[in-house]
Amino acid sequence: MKNNRNVQKYFKHELIQAVADISNVNTPMVKIVMEGLENVITQALKSASSDTDVTIKLFEGFYIDSTYIPSKEKRNNLTGKLIHVSNKTKIKTRITKGYIEKINQ
């Protein structure tokens, strides 16, 4: 915690309950939808490839980007040996200035 400030964490089950309360939808239905959304987002982000990046606009001003990083050979700085670095998917979130302004209103 920075500067001894309290941190309020929201867990998945708390968000599900809050959405259910606000939208007047039963909790099990919201849970099904949230889990479905999570699965769709995960599969979409995994689908990034060497010729296709993926961007998910989750909310107005809130994005999740996925970029495929191909495998490569790198030299270890300490030993000088070549090592193989496996391919990976880089995930990054972006929040627009407009979304930040919306939070700070």
Side-chain angles (χ1 to χ4, degrees), residues 37-71:
L37 177 62
E38 183 178 2
N39 290 336
V40 168
I41 289 170
T42 301
Q43 290 306 311
L45 294 173
K46 283 182 176 182
S47 72
S49 64
S50 59
D51 58 344
T52 305
D53 292 340
V54 174
T55 295
I56 296 173
K57 184 177 181 179
L58 191 55
F59 305 114
E60 188 65 40
F62 191 96
Y63 300 85
I64 305 172
D65 299 318
S66 176
T67 305
Y68 176 81
I69 309 295
S71 61

Side-chain angles (χ1 to χ4, degrees), residues 8-22 27 30 34:
Q8 186 169 354
K9 295 181 182 180
Y10 291 93
F11 295 96
K12 186 176 181 179
H13 69 276
E14 294 168 322
L15 294 174
I16 289 170
Q17 187 62 54
V19 170
D21 293 345
I22 288 173
T27 304
V30 173
M34 294 281 282

